[in-house]
Amino acid sequence: MSATFGGRSGRRGKLSQWLLGRRPKEAAADTGGREALLLGAAAAGLPLAPAAHPAPGYRCSCDRVGCPTPARHPVSFAWQTQSTTDRAQIEHWARHQPQANFITATGMVHDVLDVPLAAGREALDRLLGEGVEIGPVAESDDGRMLFFTLTRGTPEDEDEWWPCELDCHPETMDEHPGLRWHCRGSYVLVPPARLPGDDQQVRWVRGPEHALPDPLTLLETLTDACARHAGTGQQGAAWPLRH
């Protein structure tokens, strides 16, 4: 199963063709690998909803002029209530929106610890070397690594939910070069996803067949790695974003 989600099985050829950005009719005929990955994520408990996709000229498929997060946001304002793990619904979306990316809503089942790519790779090597249980991990060609974990709150334990500001303003990236904690009220792209640019993708490094860990088991290693790569301990702050 890990070979399928990791992108190293026979499905990789089909998936790579889709990720390279095919014309709608071609994409519609070649959704097998993409759909399997989406259904695998949903089967692991990650609630999904359709998202925008890249348009020619580094633009977004949405109607917004100068979209600040092209191909990285949901298509519906109701994405939190729309997000689902229902197989039939996800199959319907995937087959009728063959170019769409998908987001997964955080803070319901899972959170995501989002770190700079170099720091994430260093932390991943260290955690694996120490035998720490690591869950799904995704890598984005815009320079981030995403560690999927259990959420710190549940609908039954409302007081423990932590709010999180959506990362919807790329121009504020310099203010948050370290770790972002996506929890209640946030989302991330779920692989496979395409980003603006030539062959820019979000892909699984470790697929959703891996059990979600408690985020606190990863936190110290991730913040240490972020601090080293940022050059200061202050840059590795790991609390949920509040603006």
Side-chain angles (χ1 to χ4, degrees), residues 31 34-36 38-39 42 48 84-97 102:
T31 59
R34 167 181 173 255
E35 187 175 309
L38 294 172
L39 291 173
L48 307 184
T84 183
T85 59
D86 181 73
R87 180 184 181 93
Q89 180 62 71
I90 292 167
E91 287 177 339
H92 175 80
W93 282 333
R95 294 171 188 180
H96 287 81
Q97 302 179 51
F102 280 76

Side-chain angles (χ1 to χ4, degrees), residues 53-215:
H53 60 83
Y58 290 85
R59 294 184 298 107
C60 184
S61 61
C62 72
D63 295 330
R64 183 175 180 182
V65 176
C67 174
T69 53
R72 295 173 176 86
H73 62 82
V75 294
S76 171
F77 289 115
W79 58 270
Q80 285 179 285
T81 55
Q82 185 186 53
S83 298
T84 183
T85 59
D86 181 73
R87 180 184 181 93
Q89 180 62 71
I90 292 167
E91 287 177 339
H92 175 80
W93 282 333
R95 294 171 188 180
H96 287 81
Q97 302 179 51
Q99 296 189 78
N101 287 334
F102 280 76
I103 59 96
T104 179
T106 55
M108 291 189 283
V109 174
H110 70 293
D111 290 350
V112 171
L113 303 177
D114 171 355
V115 301
L117 183 57
R121 287 175 172 171
E122 175 189 311
L124 181 61
D125 287 344
R126 179 178 167 187
L127 290 164
L128 289 172
E130 293 174 351
V132 176
E133 292 295 327
I134 307 170
V137 179
E139 190 173 279
S140 173
D141 286 334
D142 61 0
R144 307 293 294 184
M145 184 170 274
L146 309 175
F147 289 77
F148 289 69
T149 72
L150 291 169
T151 188
R152 292 293 292 168
T154 67
E156 292 76 29
D157 192 9
E158 194 70 22
D159 290 340
E160 292 297 316
W161 283 57
W162 293 358
C164 180
E165 182 74 12
L166 292 179
D167 288 316
C168 57
H169 303 292
E171 63 271 18
T172 67
M173 179 59 194
D174 289 342
E175 300 173 20
H176 305 288
L179 190 151
R180 306 165 179 171
W181 192 321
H182 296 271
C183 45
R184 189 184 188 188
S186 191
Y187 57 81
V188 298
L189 286 175
V190 65
R194 293 182 293 126
L195 303 174
D198 294 334
D199 198 22
Q200 297 293 293
Q201 309 170 16
V202 182
R203 67 185 70 81
W204 288 118
V205 176
R206 290 169 53 86
E209 72 274 18
H210 296 281
L212 294 167
D214 188 308

